[in-house]
Amino acid sequence: MTNLLVEIVDAHDGLTRWNQPETVSASVHPNRTVHPSEGSAPMATQSLGYAVHVSDPVPISVPEPLPNGEGRTFQPISTTLVHGERDAVLVDPPFTADQIQEVTAWVAASGKNIIAIVATHGHGDHWFGDNEFATRFDAPVVATAGTIAVMHGNVEARPFAWDKLWPGQIPDAPVTAVTVPDNTLTLEGHDLHLVEVGHTDTEQTSVLHVPDLGLVVAGDALYNGAHMYIGESAGGGLDSWRDAISTVEALAPRHIVAGHKNKDLDDDATRVIAETRRYLDGAEAALKECSSATEFFHTMVDRHPGLPYGKTLLWVGAKTLYALREPGADPVAAAVGGWF
């Protein structure tokens, strides 16, 4: 029996109810986070946990509907707070003004002192809000060198993509992230490791590993209950993504927080890994079978009826990959054009 700080995540509103420490056994309900591992460092606190806020999908400013007639919306976005008794690390907060306001209130309500804001990868939806949080909570933004390089590329793409898709909704976002020695942070005596996993849904991605929680905050290396963005997976990208998943699996996590998740689902690592692999295998098979982006879109929707989120990203990826099949295709034009 161990004295733990237990959080119960409300699957209906994406918010976390913060409870007082209680005595629980090592086997806890799936919606209750936590477990300091045996043999923690001598100075480590006994209360270590994580909480997740899932921001609902936001509309995209493209009037043309998806091939199935639905309007275009983005993915749900997961923000993770890894915390000790006093301090916490905030991982992958969202990017639009309304989402930032909502998550800022959630973090403030936790009462934790934020010591760092972590970006797992360079896609702007997971870090364009970082400087807002850094200013509010007086904390540095931390990322790997590879992620920082991709961040700069996403800033350059803002006028052509991000700011057209969400006009007036994204704050100024200069790249202020810094690296830390050995890609490791320390939270009240517990090590948190940024593990580089390479190509997933973009280049040079990482995950945050918290060994004493059996936790991986996976960014976009794994998805949980949403269609996956595979638009950057041409030329062997799916195989590289599978290698990244194997790297995460080797960390032996019990809990995986996916950057895009259905908030009604738990964070069970075994299930999340298996379902992500199954989706990538299915996408690869459908790419071989289908002769057009539209056919691919309908095939994937039909084969995954339990995925209510991410159909826009499925369509964007499909348009991009099939555009790249055309002779002389420009990769940048194909990537940007996929959104419009």
Side-chain angles (χ1 to χ4, degrees), residues 54-67:
V54 177
S55 300
D56 290 332
V58 293
I60 296 175
S61 295
V62 177
E64 182 183 355
L66 299 173

Side-chain angles (χ1 to χ4, degrees), residues 49-53 78-82 89-93 106 208 215-218 257-258:
Y50 77 97
V52 177
H53 182 287
S78 305
T79 302
T80 304
L81 194 70
V82 181
V89 171
L90 185 65
V91 189
D92 288 347
W106 174 72
L208 185 70
L215 170 69
V216 167
V217 185
V257 178

Side-chain angles (χ1 to χ4, degrees), residues 12 20 54 121 135 223 239 243 245 274 319 338:
H12 298 290
Q20 296 300 315
V54 177
H121 63 290
T135 299
Y223 281 57
D239 287 336
D243 291 341
I245 294 171
K319 288 180 67 180

Side-chain angles (χ1 to χ4, degrees), residues 33-323:
T33 60
V34 283
H35 309 219
S37 72
E38 309 242 348
S40 296
M43 297 301 293
T45 62
Q46 289 302 304
S47 292
L48 185 69
Y50 77 97
V52 177
H53 182 287
V54 177
S55 300
D56 290 332
V58 293
I60 296 175
S61 295
V62 177
E64 182 183 355
L66 299 173
N68 64 352
E70 294 181 11
R72 300 194 187 199
T73 58
F74 199 59
Q75 301 271 34
I77 298 174
S78 305
T79 302
T80 304
L81 194 70
V82 181
H83 63 82
E85 292 177 348
R86 302 170 305 279
D87 299 333
V89 171
L90 185 65
V91 189
D92 288 347
F95 72 116
T96 68
D98 288 346
Q99 292 173 331
I100 291 167
Q101 182 178 12
E102 182 180 78
V103 173
T104 296
W106 174 72
V107 174
S110 76
K112 303 299 180 182
N113 173 51
I114 305 302
I115 63 170
I117 298 153
V118 172
T120 60
H121 63 290
H123 277 161
D125 52 302
H126 296 281
W127 74 268
F128 280 158
D130 280 3
N131 292 335
E132 303 292 311
F133 291 96
T135 299
R136 170 62 175 80
F137 297 107
D138 192 24
V141 179
V142 172
T144 65
T147 288
I148 291 170
V150 178
M151 285 176 159
H152 284 285
N154 273 246
V155 170
E156 293 172 3
R158 280 193 59 163
F160 313 106
W162 296 98
D163 291 329
K164 288 185 176 180
L165 297 167
W166 293 280
Q169 299 178 59
I170 305 173
D172 290 339
V175 178
T176 61
V178 297
T179 60
V180 291
D182 300 319
N183 285 331
T184 298
L185 295 162
T186 300
L187 175 63
E188 296 183 5
H190 301 273
D191 285 341
L192 283 60
H193 305 287
L194 272 168
V195 178
E196 296 175 289
V197 297
H199 178 89
T200 56
D201 74 350
T202 191
E203 297 295 330
Q204 303 193 74
T205 68
S206 66
V207 301
L208 185 70
H209 181 214
V210 188
D212 290 345
L213 280 178
L215 170 69
V216 167
V217 185
D220 288 356
L222 291 111
Y223 281 57
N224 186 2
H227 286 279
M228 298 171 63
Y229 173 63
I230 61 170
E232 298 181 40
S233 296
L238 295 181
D239 287 336
S240 297
W241 200 333
R242 292 186 182 100
D243 291 341
I245 294 171
S246 295
T247 298
V248 172
E249 186 175 40
L251 301 173
R254 296 187 299 276
H255 318 287
I256 291 177
V257 178
H260 301 294
K261 66 168 287 185
N262 181 336
K263 63 188 175 187
D264 292 330
L265 299 177
D266 63 27
D267 299 327
D268 179 73
T270 300
R271 179 186 59 79
V272 171
I273 288 171
E275 291 179 358
T276 301
R277 280 182 169 144
R278 191 177 307 122
Y279 189 94
L280 292 179
D281 290 346
E284 184 172 53
L287 286 168
K288 293 176 181 177
E289 298 167 11
C290 300
S291 59
S292 70
T294 301
E295 183 185 2
F296 176 82
F297 173 88
H298 287 299
T299 296
M300 291 298 289
V301 169
D302 290 345
R303 291 180 181 176
H304 297 278
L307 298 183
Y309 301 112
K311 295 186 182 77
T312 297
L313 276 294
L314 169 64
W315 178 232
V316 171
K319 288 180 67 180
T320 300
L321 291 177
Y322 280 86

